[in-house]
Each structure stands twice: as structure tokens, then as C-alpha cells.
Amino acid sequence: FLGAIASRIAIAIDNAMLFEEERRTALAFQTSLLPQAPPVLDGLEVAYKYVPAKPLETHGQGIQTQVGGDWYDIIPLSAGRVGIVIGDVEGRGARAAAVMGQLRAALRAFAQDDKSPEEILRKLDDWCRTLGPAKAPDDGAEPLDPPTVSCTYLVYDPWSRTLTFANAGHDAPLLIVDGEVGELEMEHKGVLLGVRGRGVPALPTYREETRCLPAGSALVLYTDGLTDRRHRPDGLGHYSEDDARLMLHQAVRRVAHGDVELIAQAAQEAVPGDIDDD
């Protein structure tokens, strides 16, 4: 009996160490696909924070690593312009992270050709739809659907303070002007990349919009892991998305006159509780 207990304890310890090693490996893989340090840019200050999801506990299967598909990028372009990207691949796991890495590489390549934001989103949409198999796999398993992805691609000219962008179903960024916090006006929400690959061919194409930002403005771009359902620390259910958005606005407003690192940190810490998504 004592020997059986000792064996079970040893197995539990081994499993815990294995899961922790898998989590570290997965996070290292995912982080390697993201920018490592903000570039130095004329007329623009940049800060970003990446927060992985907590490990997912599942009955009978220990702790499962949650690799996600959230990504961001800052891309120096010609004539001093800057490409800004925020995106989120639907789902979790190694496939989501791998798709994210491929999307980031593809978008960077398209951006260097000075394509417009709407054209780049159309190309990314076409690319996502090619990832769906043309026929069912030979082993009889269900074929994987093309990935669906939310994404906003923006091009900023710091000399004219002109922001040009197109959206593919992503949440609008916050816009800070003279200490006031609102949202960047987006007339066209757009549809998720890859959706047309699921039998909806007649969706409208992505549309480009332009805004002129006042001097000293700041944008706060984020993925839905920041505002999706969070467990309340008091154990009384979850925060609603409206609650989370309100807390985000309030947190950013308190530091609206600070530098970009302070604003990014405030956004990261705005909504308390464990996160279930990147």
C-alpha cells in the first residue's frame, strides 16, 4: 500500500514536470514567432506586451498547454512610413501558432511591396483559404477547415500624421487624444480572414479608410484575450465583455499622459483575474 502511494506520487511528479516542460517549449516556440524588440522609428514610439494564457486544467488529462495564435508586428516601410499589425488566429494549439507565424511572414512580404491595407487583407484572405484541404484525408479523419483570423493592418505616415487602415473583423483600437480615451472610428468592420472558404463567397471585400491623427495621439491595439470572459477574483462568475472594456478604458485614461510603456502596462493590468486566452 505504501509502495503504491509512493509510485503514484512519483508518477504525479513526473507528469507535472513533463507538462511544465511542454508548456515552456510551447511558449518558447510561440514567442519566437513574435517581434523580440520594438524597432527605433522616427516620429513614433512603440511598446508591446505579450501575455500567454494560463495552463488549461482538464479532467483526467492533467494540465494542457495553451498555445495561441495572437500576433502583432511593426514593419518599417518606404518613405518613413510604418506598418502596424494586430491579429488573432481562431483556436488554440500548435496549429494556431504555426498559422500565426506563416501569416506574419506573408504579411511582411506583402507590405514590403507597398501594397495598400485593403489589398494586403485580400491577399491574406486568399492565403488563409488555401490552407483548407482540397479533399478529405486518406485516413478517414475529418478535414480541417481553413483557419479564420481577425486582423487589422494600418499604415502610419508620421510626417503627415495620416493613418490608413483596413479591418478584418478585429476590435477597434483605443485612441488617446489630449488625455481623452475613445476608439478609433472604423466604418467598415470587415469579415474574418478565411471565412469565405467556408461556403460564403459573396462577402464584401475589405475597405480602406484614412484618418488624420492629432499630434501626440496614441493607439492601443489589443486582442480579445484582454476583454473576453475573465473569472472574477471574488469567485462570483465572470466579468462581462462590457465590464472588461470599461475597466480597460478607465485604466488607460488614468495614464493617458504617460509614456507608451506606462500605457501598455496599464492596458495589460486593466482587467483582473486569470486569462483563458493570449
Side-chain angles (χ1 to χ4, degrees), residues 115-278:
K115 303 294 185 185
S116 66
E118 61 182 356
E119 186 174 353
I120 285 178
L121 289 189
R122 282 196 293 268
K123 284 180 171 290
L124 288 178
D125 180 53
D126 290 339
W127 183 87
C128 282
R129 289 186 287 124
T130 66
L131 295 183
K135 63 184 184 66
D138 294 334
D139 60 6
E142 288 292 325
L144 294 173
D145 284 327
T148 54
V149 183
S150 70
C151 180
T152 303
Y153 179 57
L154 314 93
V155 175
Y156 181 63
D157 184 337
W159 309 115
S160 65
R161 300 197 306 274
T162 299
L163 185 72
T164 304
F165 58 89
N167 193 31
H170 201 84
D171 289 333
L174 302 187
L175 175 61
I176 306 171
V177 179
D178 295 330
E180 294 298 318
V181 181
E183 291 188 350
L184 179 68
E185 180 187 357
M186 288 186 169
E187 294 182 8
H188 306 288
K189 176 78 172 180
V191 295
L192 299 177
L193 304 175
V195 166
R196 290 190 296 163
R198 296 184 175 182
V200 191
L203 291 170
T205 55
Y206 304 102
R207 299 182 183 178
E208 189 171 301
E209 302 180 52
T210 300
R211 304 282 182 270
C212 185
L213 301 184
S217 299
L219 287 172
V220 182
L221 300 97
Y222 61 95
T223 58
D224 60 8
L226 185 60
T227 54
D228 271 355
R229 285 161 51 95
R230 293 272 190 103
H231 292 282
R232 300 175 64 99
D234 57 15
L236 301 177
H238 298 79
Y239 291 114
S240 70
E241 188 169 351
D242 287 341
D243 289 337
R245 287 179 183 274
L246 178 60
M247 286 186 279
L248 175 59
H249 279 247
Q250 291 172 337
V252 171
R253 186 176 293 113
R254 285 192 288 269
V255 297
H257 293 289
D259 62 21
V260 291
E261 284 287 348
L262 187 61
I263 293 171
Q265 189 69 30
Q268 176 186 331
E269 299 171 352
V271 186
D274 289 331
I275 58 174
D276 296 325
D277 196 2
D278 306 48

